């Protein structure tokens, strides 16, 4: 509990300090935002200053900062233009209400209306001019940032190919020895400025804030990580369901806890010194850059610590052995320290204007340190793998991308050391930084991909509460939930990989703003010839289409379960109506998704024209069945539940789709019949329009039978059966007398043709029983005896033959 209180105290200091500083500064210099004309003039002046700096052709110009300034001008100009658009629309609406200027000869306007119209026209023209100026500034800023990016690439390629003296040569150390006193003097002046700022911060108005902020930074740095990690572990165990989601969530929590621990401590230290604006503008900018570097270094350390999970092997994401994880346990912290050292030295060197020799020396050392740490990690991984093979254990099989990544890192280590040895120090530093950046991007994408996959599987698991609620709400089967989890996870991982690729392709030394802009541009509009692709719009269209399908499914289920059962429609009509409504709404949702994706009706017409050619050659049957399916659903000559017979197929219709109809036969097998056959061929619908079933029984009886008594027995059986109808009334007829027997025909009607077989069987049993009780025999087939004379005139055994 005390550790938690210390963290809360530090956070309160962090959150409250800007508010207190704002309150102190508000009375002195509170000013509102400048009006749009003044703001646009300032942006134009800033853009001209950037152009002037570029035209000076200075070698040491910070091009990254200039490009950030140009992009900032572009964004601010876009913001001003977007803010003025609603005002212009409001003025246009007022002019529309006033109407057009009266024509010649028409009644003139009142003076008040004319004055109002002139004022609205002036304001509208002014706003249009300001909007056009803002848009032009935005275009100029974008064009200038593109020029700076090209200049950066050219300068960067020149630096990569520049060869300097190697550390093994006397010239390298001689240049460093001559430039070192001046660099130390400049560094001393920076230290003096920092001491003066610290002394100013120690003055009585800011002494207590300085002490409290430094105390909070120390508490967060020393005691913040472990309590926060334990709290995250407990929350993951209590709140998250059993499964891999706990592991991946804990890994992400570990990264956040380490990053916030170190980053907040650095931010509190910066607030402590700059509480009363003790730092100047340039020194404050340096301090902010160092705080950003601290956040990045902490993120590198926390990311490696979370991925390795040396203390808890059960929470480890990659398939690493305990020996390999333990051997790499200190590597994340060393890489974080190297990243902090790299960023700090780069910022300080740029601030003090360090000499070329000192800059080259620092970059050579950093290249050797980073590449050495990466090489050490690769060596320890290889040693752990060899140890497993020596003990007879089979190491875990690596995925292909892991092998490619390790090979690339090994090649980078070799190239970095070769660059230092041969004098290509800028190239070696670039390779070392790219290895560090590649590791950060890959580890981030790997961790987020695990979290996304585990979250999708946990939320859509039918055994969890969320999965059960989705099943109940949308009627989804467990297999459908599993497929949805796989699709969502796959799409999310693809997007993460694309973001990672966009970050990897960013220019060397790009800042956070440029990285975000590059990722946004990666998902922005791309034109290939006449084809315009908008990944963001395509993603939105996929989301809309998916949500639309889910809504259609829920609406169909609502109709089937709650609305249609309370209507007078039979089951077949209900099924046809729901199916037809589903097809129509799917077409509407698909058209809406195409519209969101940016596909115009003209493009759809071109696609339809192209498809018509294919239809004319190979898709005639499919289109014919599709149209026939729509006709069946609309006209309903047959519907679900009907008993039909066509082309030797007889059974019940179970489903009508847009292509084919499923008919279930008497043996429970299913026949798939194309819809066109139900339209073009003769179809016998046994149960259409509430048809009744007819039971007909044929009984032959001997000639000596009492016909009236036999008729009475059969008629009683027909009338007394509960399933036979009174109207039409049952009847018994004597059809014919043939071959010494009388043939009686008994006919009765039942409610449905489906009842005919069962009622017929019941009536036969009843009639046979009544005949037996009345002593009335049924006729039997006549037989004749055929005798064949043998060779001696003796009779052969008689062979009975049925009569014909």
């Amino acid at each position: 509990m005390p550790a938690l209180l210390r963290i809360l105290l530090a956070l309160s200091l962090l959150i409250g300090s800007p508010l207190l500083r704002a309150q102190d500064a508000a009375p002195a210099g509170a000013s509102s935002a400048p009006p749009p004309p003044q703001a646009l003039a300032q942006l134009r002046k800033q853009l001209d200053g950037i152009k002037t700096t570029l035209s000076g052709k200075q070698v040491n110009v910070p091009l990254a900062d200039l490009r950030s300034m140009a992009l900032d001008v572009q964004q601010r100009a876009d913001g001003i233009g977007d803010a003025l658009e609603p005002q212009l629309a409001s003025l246009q609406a007022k002019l529309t209400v006033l109407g057009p200027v009266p024509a010649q000869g028409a009644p003139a306007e009142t003076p008040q209306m004319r004055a109002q119209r002139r004022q609205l026209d002036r304001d509208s023209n002014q706003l249009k001019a300001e909007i056009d100026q803002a848009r032009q500034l935005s275009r100029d800023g974008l064009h200038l940032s593109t020029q700076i990016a090209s200049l950066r690439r050219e300068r960067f390629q020149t630096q990569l190919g520049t060869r300097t003296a190697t550390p093994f040569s006397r010239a390298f150390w001689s240049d460093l020895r001559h430039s070192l006193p001046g660099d130390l003097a400049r560094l001393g002046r920076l230290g003096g400025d920092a001491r003066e700022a610290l002394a100013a911060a120690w003055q009585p108005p800011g002494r207590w804030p300085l002490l409290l902020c430094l105390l909070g930074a120390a508490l967060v740095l020393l005691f913040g990580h472990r309590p926060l990690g334990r709290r995250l572990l407990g929350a993951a165990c209590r709140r998250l369901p059993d499964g891999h989601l706990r592991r991946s969530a804990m890994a992400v929590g570990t990264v956040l806890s380490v990053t916030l621990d170190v980053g907040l401590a650095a931010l509190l230290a910066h607030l402590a010194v700059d509480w009363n604006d003790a730092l100047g503008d340039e020194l404050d900018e340096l301090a902010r850059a160092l705080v950003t570097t601290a956040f990045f270094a902490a993120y590198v350390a926390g990311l490696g610590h979370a991925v390795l999970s040396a203390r808890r092997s059960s929470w480890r994401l990659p398939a690493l052995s305990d020996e390999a994880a333990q051997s790499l346990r200190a590597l994340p912290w060393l890489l974080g320290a190297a990243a902090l050292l790299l960023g700090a030295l780069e910022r300080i060197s740029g601030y003090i204007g360090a000499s070329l020799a000192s800059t080259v020396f620092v970059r050579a050392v950093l290249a050797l340190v980073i590449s050495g740490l990466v090489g050490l990690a690769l060596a320890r991984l290889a040693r752990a793998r060899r140890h497993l093979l020596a003990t007879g254990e089979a190491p875990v099989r690596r995925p292909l991308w892991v092998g490619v990544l390790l090979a690339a890192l090994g090649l980078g280590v070799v190239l970095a050391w070769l660059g230092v040895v041969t004098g290509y120090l800028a190239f070696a530093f670039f390779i070392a930084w790219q290895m560090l950046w590649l590791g950060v991007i890959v580890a981030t994408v790997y961790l987020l991909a695990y979290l996304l996959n585990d979250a999708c599987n946990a939320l859509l698991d039918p055994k969890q509460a969320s999965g059960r609620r989705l099943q109940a709400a949308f009627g989804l089967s467990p297999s459908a939930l599993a497929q949805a989890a796989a699709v969502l996870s796959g799409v999310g991982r693809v997007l993460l990989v694309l973001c990672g690729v966009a970050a990897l392709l960013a220019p060397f030394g790009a800042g956070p703003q440029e990285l975000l802009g590059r990722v946004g541009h990666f998902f922005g509009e791309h034109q290939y010839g006449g084809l315009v692709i908008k990944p963001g719009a395509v993603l939105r269209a996929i989301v809309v289409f998916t949500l639309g399908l889910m809504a259609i499914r829920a609406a169909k289920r609502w109709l089937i379960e709650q609305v249609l059962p309370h209507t007078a429609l039979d089951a077949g009509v209900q099924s046809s109506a729901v199916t037809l409504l589903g097809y129509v709404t799917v077409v509407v949702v698909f058209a809406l998704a195409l519209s969101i994706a940016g596909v115009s009706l003209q493009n759809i017409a071109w696609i339809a024209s192209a498809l018509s050619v294919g239809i004319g050659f190979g898709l005639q049957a499919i289109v014919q069945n599709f149209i026939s399916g729509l006709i069946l659903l609309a006209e309903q000559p047959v519907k679900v539940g009907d008993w039909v017979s066509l082309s030797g197929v007889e059974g019940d219709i179970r489903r009508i789709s847009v292509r084919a109809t499923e008919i279930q036969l008497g043996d429970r097998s299913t026949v798939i019949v194309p819809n066109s056959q139900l339209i073009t061929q003769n179809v016998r619908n046994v149960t259409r329009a509430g048809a009744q079933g007819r039971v007909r029984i044929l009984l032959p009886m001997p000639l000596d039978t009492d016909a009236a008594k036999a008729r009475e027995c059969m008629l009683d059986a027909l009338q007394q059966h509960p399933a036979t109808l009174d109207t039409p009334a049952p009847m018994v007829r004597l059809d014919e007398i043939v071959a010494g027997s009388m043939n009686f025909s008994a006919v009765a009607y039942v409610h449905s043709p489906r009842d005919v077989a069962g009622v017929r069987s019941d009536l036969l049993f009843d009639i046979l029983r009544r005949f037996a009780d009345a002593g009335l025999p049924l006729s039997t087939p006549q037989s004749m005896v055929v005798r064949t004379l043998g060779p001696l005139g003796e009779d052969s055994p008689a062979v009975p033959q049925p009569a014909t």
Side-chain angles (χ1 to χ4, degrees):
M1 195 64 182
L4 180 61
L5 291 177
R6 286 192 292 266
I7 296 175
L8 293 177
L9 174 62
L11 289 177
S12 64
L13 288 173
L14 177 64
I15 296 173
S17 56
L19 299 178
L20 293 176
R21 293 175 59 184
Q23 292 177 359
D24 295 338
S31 61
S32 59
Q38 184 178 353
L40 292 174
Q42 292 176 357
L43 293 179
R44 173 58 65 183
K45 183 178 180 181
Q46 185 177 356
L47 206 61
D48 292 340
I50 297 174
K51 293 179 180 178
T52 303
T53 305
L54 284 178
S55 61
K57 299 184 182 300
Q58 299 177 11
V59 179
N60 295 325
V61 173
L63 296 181
D65 296 340
L66 293 180
R67 187 170 187 270
S68 298
M69 293 169 61
L71 291 175
D72 182 64
V73 169
Q74 179 206 359
Q75 294 176 359
R76 291 169 60 185
D78 286 335
I80 294 174
D82 295 339
L84 295 178
E85 288 286 354
Q87 301 179 23
L88 179 61
S90 177
L91 293 178
Q92 294 292 342
K94 292 179 181 179
L95 286 173
T96 304
V97 172
L98 290 179
V101 178
Q104 188 176 3
E109 292 180 328
T110 62
Q112 294 81 1
M113 292 186 62
R114 286 197 299 272
Q116 184 179 7
R117 184 186 298 277
R118 285 196 298 271
Q119 183 64 36
L120 290 176
D121 287 334
R122 284 196 298 269
D123 294 343
S124 177
N125 293 332
Q126 182 180 356
L127 282 178
K128 287 181 180 179
E130 292 175 356
I131 292 174
D132 293 340
Q133 185 180 1
R135 301 306 182 197
Q136 183 62 40
L137 273 173
S138 175
R139 289 191 292 269
D140 292 345
L142 180 61
H143 180 67
L144 185 59
S145 65
T146 304
Q147 288 182 344
I148 296 174
S150 300
L151 183 60
R152 284 183 64 191
R153 284 193 296 268
E154 294 176 1
R155 182 178 295 183
F156 178 69
Q157 292 174 358
T158 303
Q159 290 177 353
L160 287 182
T162 302
R163 185 177 182 182
T164 61
T166 68
F168 301 100
S169 63
R170 181 177 300 177
F172 178 86
W173 299 102
S174 177
D175 294 341
L176 181 62
R177 186 174 61 255
H178 286 91
S179 60
L180 188 58
D183 293 332
L184 291 178
R186 286 188 288 269
L187 189 61
R189 286 193 293 270
L190 174 61
D193 294 340
R195 286 191 296 272
E196 291 179 0
L198 188 59
W202 183 249
Q203 297 303 316
R207 183 174 300 175
W208 280 108
L210 173 65
L211 293 176
L212 289 176
C213 287
L214 290 179
L215 179 61
L219 291 176
V220 170
L221 189 61
L222 296 177
F223 306 106
H225 172 58
R226 293 184 183 276
L228 185 57
R230 287 194 293 268
R231 295 284 179 178
L232 290 174
L233 178 60
C237 295
R238 289 192 306 270
R239 301 295 179 86
L240 297 179
D242 295 335
H244 292 169
L245 181 59
R246 290 184 180 180
R247 181 182 63 177
S248 53
M250 188 59 198
V252 175
T254 301
V255 176
L256 292 178
S257 65
V258 174
T259 304
L260 293 178
D261 185 30
V262 178
L264 291 180
L267 192 56
L268 284 172
H270 172 240
L271 289 175
V273 179
D274 196 38
W275 183 270
N276 289 325
D277 295 329
L279 299 174
D281 293 338
E282 295 182 356
L283 202 58
D284 182 65
E285 184 179 356
L286 175 62
R288 292 178 182 275
L290 293 178
V291 170
T292 304
T293 302
F295 268 102
F296 176 73
Y299 179 76
V300 172
L303 189 63
H305 180 62
V307 171
L308 289 179
S309 185
R311 293 184 177 180
R312 295 185 179 92
S313 59
S314 59
W315 295 81
R316 190 178 303 139
L317 296 179
L320 278 177
S321 63
D322 291 339
E323 180 183 357
Q326 289 295 332
S327 63
L328 299 177
R329 183 176 179 178
L331 180 66
W333 309 104
L334 294 176
L335 285 176
L340 180 62
L341 183 64
L342 185 152
L345 291 178
E346 283 288 313
R347 298 293 182 177
I348 294 174
S349 298
Y351 179 81
I352 66 175
S355 62
L356 179 61
S358 298
T359 303
V360 168
F361 172 75
V362 169
R363 291 193 171 188
V365 172
L366 291 175
L368 292 177
V369 170
I370 295 176
S371 59
L373 290 175
V374 175
L376 179 63
L378 295 177
R380 290 188 175 182
L381 284 176
R383 186 179 62 184
R385 191 177 183 88
R386 289 193 302 268
H387 183 265
L388 286 178
L389 293 174
T391 55
E393 298 182 17
V396 180
R397 186 176 180 181
R398 294 171 177 170
L400 177 61
W401 67 271
V402 174
V404 173
L405 176 63
L406 295 178
L409 291 177
L411 180 61
V413 171
V414 174
L415 292 178
W417 282 75
L418 285 178
V420 172
V421 171
T422 56
Y424 292 97
L425 300 180
F427 175 75
F429 179 73
F430 168 74
I431 292 295
W433 166 253
Q434 287 300 108
M435 285 193 294
L436 180 61
W437 184 240
L438 175 64
V440 171
I441 295 299
V442 171
T444 302
V445 172
Y446 180 79
L447 184 59
L448 293 179
Y450 252 101
L451 178 63
L452 178 64
N453 182 65
D454 295 340
C456 291
N457 291 332
L459 294 176
L460 300 180
D461 187 0
K463 299 179 182 179
Q464 301 296 336
S466 58
R468 290 193 295 269
R469 284 195 292 268
L470 289 174
Q471 282 184 297
F474 299 101
L476 300 175
S477 62
S479 61
L481 286 177
Q483 293 173 3
V487 171
L488 291 177
S489 175
V491 172
R493 283 182 287 184
V494 169
L495 293 178
L496 286 175
V497 171
L498 292 178
C499 292
V501 171
L504 283 176
L505 296 179
F508 176 69
Q513 181 181 3
E514 188 172 355
L515 288 176
L516 293 177
R518 192 168 186 85
V519 173
H521 176 72
F522 192 81
F523 289 98
E525 180 177 327
H526 300 276
Q527 186 170 0
Y528 303 95
L531 179 63
V532 178
I533 298 177
K534 301 177 181 179
V538 173
L539 180 60
R540 291 194 297 270
I542 293 174
V543 172
V544 169
F545 186 68
T546 303
L547 295 178
L549 292 182
M550 295 175 64
I552 291 171
R553 188 182 184 94
K556 289 172 65 177
R557 185 182 178 189
W558 174 69
L559 289 174
I560 293 173
E561 295 182 355
Q562 300 184 19
V563 177
L564 294 179
H566 301 289
T567 62
L569 302 175
D570 58 18
V573 176
Q574 294 179 14
S575 177
S576 299
V578 171
T579 303
L580 185 59
L581 178 63
Y583 291 141
V584 173
T585 50
V586 166
V587 172
V588 172
V589 171
F590 183 71
L592 179 62
L594 289 180
S595 176
I596 294 176
V599 180
S600 63
L601 295 178
Q602 182 179 1
N603 294 334
I604 296 177
W606 280 106
I607 295 174
S609 301
L611 287 178
S612 62
V613 178
I615 291 172
F617 288 99
L619 302 179
Q620 292 181 353
I622 296 177
V623 174
Q624 184 180 10
N625 290 325
F626 177 79
I627 301 299
S628 300
L630 297 180
I631 293 174
L632 291 176
L633 292 173
E635 295 185 358
Q636 296 184 352
V638 295
K639 58 183 180 297
V640 175
D642 284 354
W643 181 1
V644 298
S645 175
L646 76 160
S647 302
V649 176
E650 183 172 355
D652 298 328
I653 295 179
R654 293 304 181 194
R655 182 173 177 268
I656 300 177
S657 64
V658 293
R659 191 194 67 83
T661 298
E662 299 178 5
I663 299 178
Q664 188 178 45
L665 305 183
D667 59 356
R668 300 298 178 181
S669 62
T670 301
V671 177
I672 308 298
V673 179
N675 289 332
S676 59
Q677 294 188 15
L678 296 172
I679 297 297
T680 59
Q681 295 184 9
N682 296 327
V683 180
R684 176 172 173 260
N685 193 334
V686 181
T687 56
R688 181 176 173 80
Q692 296 176 346
R694 189 183 73 157
V695 181
R696 185 166 183 261
I697 300 174
L698 298 177
L699 291 176
M701 302 190 72
L703 288 175
D704 57 354
T705 303
D706 187 349
K709 192 174 182 179
R711 180 179 181 276
E712 181 181 359
C713 291
M714 287 188 287
L715 192 58
D716 289 343
L718 296 178
Q719 292 174 348
Q720 294 177 10
H721 195 281
T724 58
L725 301 177
D726 296 332
T727 302
M731 59 182 176
V732 178
R733 295 181 299 187
L734 180 60
D735 284 347
E736 57 183 354
I737 299 175
V738 178
S741 64
M742 297 181 295
N743 293 332
F744 287 90
S745 174
V747 178
Y749 291 88
V750 292
H751 289 283
S752 172
R754 302 184 187 280
D755 301 332
V756 170
V759 174
R760 178 185 175 86
S761 176
D762 294 342
L763 290 175
L764 284 174
F765 280 111
D766 192 16
I767 291 173
L768 291 176
R769 183 184 58 79
R770 291 175 183 271
F771 281 176
D773 294 342
L776 297 176
L778 292 174
S779 63
T780 57
Q782 297 180 357
S783 301
M784 63 179 178
V785 178
V786 179
R787 295 182 180 274
T788 304
L789 296 177
L792 300 178
E794 297 179 354
D795 291 343
S796 299
V799 179
Q801 298 290 339
T804 59

